[in-house]
Amino acid sequence: MGVDYYNILKVLSDPQKKQIYDQYGEEGLKDMPPPGTSGSPFGNGGCSNGFNPRNAEDIFAEFFGSSPFSFGSSGPGRSMRFQSDVGGGNFGGFGGGENIFRSYSEGFVPKKPPAVESKLPCSLEELYSGSTRKMKISRTVACANGRQIPESEILTIDVKPGWKKGTKITFPDKGNEQPNQLPADLVFVIDEKPHELYSRDGNDLIVNQKVSLAEALGGTTLNLTTLDHRSLSIPVSDVVSPGYELVVSKEGMPIAKEPGNRGDLRVKFEIKFPTRLTPEQRAGLKRALGG
């Protein structure tokens, strides 16, 4: 029967197993409790698999005088190749020279999957004044032994005043992790909730207001509550004709790239015409308008 160098390697790379092997030989290892059970000195506990191949080349060189590993090819995405002969004999347990030993510490570059995107709905008030959001995420983490375990974490997102729909906040390596891959990035994409009064056009705010025909012709005052809860009085002295738009400077959204600067507030009017007029009202309007 050929020598099982792979099992020897596992034993020699574990200090506890090596000590037992030195004292009691192979029979002592057979009496050990199965890995992962209570009382096992080398149970897998979490992401540990009880076998660390990082010193494999040194261990073989120490015990056999030379290393069975050769770097026939190198560079990203390439693999380490086993030499099939150790001391002139066949390397037991692995067959011939076509066996490949892929190393995750030398030469192999794990792939990074595409980012995982998730919408982050924000009110217009949050995008106006800024806010701090706490997001609890759940993801899976891949262990070296191939197991996947769940993990939870709370992420903090500082929403800056003036951020727009589509703004992305990236948390590197916070996505799910698959075996033999790097963790994906987690990306939150700002989404804008509808507002009952205001709508947004770039850095400007738009508000629609209905006025009567008398107000459109004779003037009025608009009273609005801003997104940061201020009371705003806007006098309307011009004649409001269909399509007329009143612009209030610097009362729009904050401009994220220009701290302290804001867009404009644009008031669009809808004129409510009366459905009926008395003869006296018609006559009065004709006299007033010169018709």
Side-chain angles (χ1 to χ4, degrees):
M1 180 181 296
V3 179
D4 192 341
Y5 288 98
Y6 180 70
N7 286 330
I8 292 177
L9 176 60
K10 291 175 63 177
V11 171
L12 297 180
S13 63
D14 188 307
Q16 292 177 318
K17 287 185 177 181
K18 183 176 183 299
Q19 183 178 2
I20 293 172
Y21 184 82
D22 291 342
Q23 292 180 354
Y24 305 107
E26 187 176 355
E27 292 301 319
L29 291 175
K30 292 180 180 180
D31 295 333
M32 294 294 294
T37 60
S38 59
S40 171
F42 33 85
N44 55 11
C47 281
S48 173
N49 62 1
F51 173 49
N52 181 4
R54 58 187 174 85
N55 293 321
E57 187 172 1
D58 294 339
I59 292 172
F60 268 95
E62 177 182 352
F63 283 87
F64 301 109
S66 63
S67 169
F69 303 97
S70 67
F71 294 87
S73 57
S74 61
R78 310 303 293 269
S79 58
M80 291 174 58
R81 184 178 299 275
F82 266 125
Q83 290 181 347
S84 60
D85 297 324
V86 179
N90 185 44
F91 191 50
F94 286 91
E98 298 301 320
N99 296 294
I100 300 298
F101 180 87
R102 183 170 296 278
S103 169
Y104 293 95
S105 60
E106 295 288 346
F108 175 72
V109 179
K111 293 182 179 179
K112 191 175 185 69
V116 179
E117 293 192 356
S118 179
K119 287 186 177 181
L120 181 65
C122 295
S123 67
L124 206 51
E125 286 87 352
E126 287 180 289
L127 298 176
Y128 185 90
S129 301
S131 68
T132 299
R133 301 286 294 271
K134 301 287 186 180
M135 306 295 294
K136 184 177 181 180
I137 64 168
S138 298
R139 64 191 188 117
T140 57
V141 178
C143 301
N145 59 8
R147 292 176 53 208
Q148 289 182 283
I149 60 174
E151 181 179 84
S152 297
E153 185 176 353
I154 296 178
L155 302 179
T156 300
I157 302 175
D158 291 321
V159 178
K160 304 299 183 183
W163 273 5
K164 297 178 181 179
K165 179 178 180 179
T167 300
K168 294 184 178 183
I169 310 98
T170 301
F171 290 89
D173 301 334
K174 292 298 183 181
N176 289 330
E177 184 178 357
Q178 301 295 329
N180 304 336
Q181 289 186 352
L182 294 172
D185 293 341
L186 180 60
V187 179
F188 289 96
V189 183
I190 295 293
D191 196 16
E192 184 180 295
K193 296 179 182 178
H195 194 274
E196 59 182 6
L197 180 62
Y198 296 99
S199 60
R200 184 176 184 176
D201 182 12
N203 295 317
D204 293 344
L205 286 173
I206 298 174
V207 61
N208 295 303
Q209 286 289 300
K210 291 182 179 181
V211 294
S212 66
L213 180 59
E215 291 172 327
L217 298 176
T220 186
T221 298
L222 302 179
N223 296 306
L224 300 173
T225 301
T226 64
L227 291 172
D228 56 352
H229 309 296
R230 292 178 291 115
S231 295
L232 191 64
S233 294
I234 304 172
V236 182
S237 55
D238 296 337
V239 173
V240 178
S241 58
Y244 174 79
E245 185 176 284
L246 178 62
V247 177
V248 184
S249 180
K250 306 298 182 181
E251 284 294 347
M253 293 292 293
I255 301 177
K257 296 182 179 180
E258 301 176 19
N261 200 7
R262 296 179 184 273
D264 297 330
L265 172 63
R266 292 153 47 194
V267 183
K268 296 184 176 182
F269 292 92
E270 179 183 345
I271 303 171
K272 297 181 293 184
F273 285 85
T275 55
R276 291 186 303 175
L277 291 174
T278 65
E280 292 80 6
Q281 289 173 326
R282 289 178 182 272
L285 285 174
K286 287 182 179 181
R287 288 193 300 270
L289 299 176

